[in-house]
Amino acid sequence: FPTRRSSDLFLKLLLKEGTLRNKDFSDLTETPASTTNTTLNRLREAGLVEMVGKQRALTPYGRQIAQGL
């Protein structure tokens, strides 16, 4: 189950890296793939993350939130 901590971490990673694949999140955070997928889906549903091809990126709103973390 994704936590606020993992969501914040994923947002910070995207702010730093620009775009990442799901596997990149799992590798960089040592988070199980199922948790990574759930966290990213929730961030997408909240309007913070969007798909760019097969990668994830911050939306403008997500960038604002990530910069405040």
Side-chain angles (χ1 to χ4, degrees), residues 7-64:
S7 295
D8 288 356
L9 178 59
F10 284 20
L11 291 174
K12 289 178 187 178
L13 278 172
L14 281 173
L15 186 61
K16 179 182 176 194
E17 301 295 333
T19 59
L20 291 168
R21 299 171 299 147
N22 285 22
K23 183 177 180 337
D24 298 328
F25 286 101
S26 293
D27 292 347
L28 291 169
T29 63
E30 298 180 0
T31 303
S34 60
T35 302
T36 296
N37 290 334
T38 301
T39 301
L40 289 170
N41 285 335
R42 289 193 177 170
L43 291 170
R44 184 183 48 76
E45 290 168 2
L48 300 172
V49 172
E50 63 187 350
M51 294 296 296
V52 177
K54 293 188 177 193
Q55 298 193 2
R56 307 284 180 137
L58 292 171
T59 63
Y61 177 59
R63 181 168 298 282
Q64 284 182 322

